[in-house]
Amino acid sequence: MATEPHVVLWGVPKKPDDPSPSGFCQKLENFLRYSKISYELRDTYPFRAPKGKVPYADITHGGKTVTIPDSHFIIQYLVENDLIKDPDELAGLTAAQRGESRAFEAYIEEVLYPAVVYDRWYIEENYAVTEEEIFKGISWPMPAAPGVVHKAEDYRSVVLRRNGATFARRRCIVCKRKRSTHSRSSMPSTSTFHGGERPSHIDLTVHAFLANMLSTAGNPYIVGLIMRALRSRRLSVR
């Protein structure tokens, strides 16, 4: 007998009912919740993940279980296999709206979010907060695959390296951050959501990263910008 599709979302640990410390983990959970597919959360860290990154997912359907890394490819797999509906189709987006949506999604994920990660993990006063929020109660060394992570500083080095937030790129990242944080509020729209009255792909994505950024005290610069942008503030409340 066929069983209901089920997703195990592997992501960094978080408190119950709080947004994930990872923007990409929160993005995937947003899509799963909106789509009403059966899912559960399980804790892991990037150095324990199959491809060294989170989230990844074990998706059970049609009598098989497949493991897929990367929020983008997980969502794509779910849509292509008719396990969830495409939010853009449900929202009735035009081809032009889909193109604008994809461009802004790339801007958030490839420009803005790496700058936020830089703020959290490279700037010392912010890192002190981030370390307390994420690693409180953890015993070191921590088993990893392969080997072990001996202390929070080791994990910090991995995060910075994988997000490209090196000292050599510091000035470039800060400049990108200042430009990118103003782009969403300047996008002309008279609708609550990007395509009208139903949330589309970009709405779920923006909400996820706003929730991620506003749930920590480790990135005060971006929180200040968000709270000064009226349109972003309304979206974060929704």
Side-chain angles (χ1 to χ4, degrees):
M1 187 173 72
T3 58
E4 179 185 11
H6 183 73
V7 178
V8 176
L9 191 172
W10 292 92
V12 291
K14 72 182 188 75
K15 297 177 182 178
D17 301 322
D18 277 4
S20 172
S22 161
F24 291 100
C25 292
Q26 186 59 45
K27 171 187 170 180
L28 179 55
E29 185 175 5
N30 268 22
F31 275 82
L32 298 177
R33 290 177 61 189
Y34 178 72
S35 303
K36 296 182 171 58
I37 189 172
S38 171
Y39 79 94
E40 63 183 285
L41 305 177
R42 294 190 185 173
D43 294 344
T44 190
Y45 287 95
F47 45 76
R48 292 176 174 171
K51 293 188 178 295
K53 63 191 301 185
V54 291
Y56 71 95
D58 294 330
I59 303 172
T60 301
H61 70 106
K64 63 181 179 180
T65 298
V66 295
T67 300
I68 301 177
D70 194 299
S71 60
H72 174 80
F73 293 115
I74 295 168
I75 294 166
Q76 183 181 54
Y77 182 91
L78 293 170
V79 170
E80 290 179 351
N81 286 272
D82 295 321
L83 302 177
I84 66 173
K85 298 294 185 182
D86 183 350
D88 286 353
E89 287 187 8
L90 295 176
L93 295 195
T94 65
Q97 287 173 323
R98 284 175 178 256
E100 183 183 41
S101 171
R102 183 67 190 99
F104 190 68
E105 180 183 32
Y107 204 50
I108 292 173
E109 296 181 357
E110 298 172 19
V111 178
L112 175 59
Y113 190 61
V116 172
V117 171
Y118 169 91
D119 267 6
R120 294 175 184 171
W121 293 88
Y122 194 92
I123 298 174
E124 291 299 331
E125 56 268 33
N126 293 344
Y127 172 65
V129 175
T130 300
E131 181 182 24
E132 173 68 15
E133 290 179 347
I134 293 181
F135 297 119
K136 185 176 182 179
I138 288 180
S139 299
W140 302 99
M142 184 190 300
V148 298
V149 174
H150 292 280
K151 55 185 178 180
E153 282 291 335
D154 295 339
Y155 186 88
R156 181 190 194 189
S157 297
V158 171
V159 170
L160 290 174
R161 185 169 62 252
R162 289 178 179 170
N163 282 275
T166 61
F167 180 78
R169 293 187 60 202
R170 176 178 181 178
R171 186 167 298 176
C172 177
I173 287 176
V174 171
C175 290
K176 286 180 178 179
R177 175 186 63 193
K178 290 179 178 178
R179 291 197 303 269
S180 63
T181 49
H182 294 286
S183 61
R184 178 63 179 173
S185 60
S186 64
M187 292 175 66
S189 176
T190 57
S191 303
T192 300
F193 299 110
H194 179 56
E197 298 307 314
R198 294 192 65 160
S200 63
H201 189 111
I202 189 59
D203 297 296
L204 296 171
T205 299
V206 170
H207 178 275
F209 282 94
L210 281 174
N212 168 266
M213 295 171 193
L214 293 172
S215 66
T216 174
N219 43 227
Y221 179 87
I222 188 68
V223 168
L225 289 179
I226 291 170
M227 298 311 294
R228 286 195 296 270
L230 178 61
R231 190 163 186 270
S232 292
R233 190 183 305 126
R234 288 205 307 269
L235 182 58
S236 67
V237 170
R238 283 183 172 273

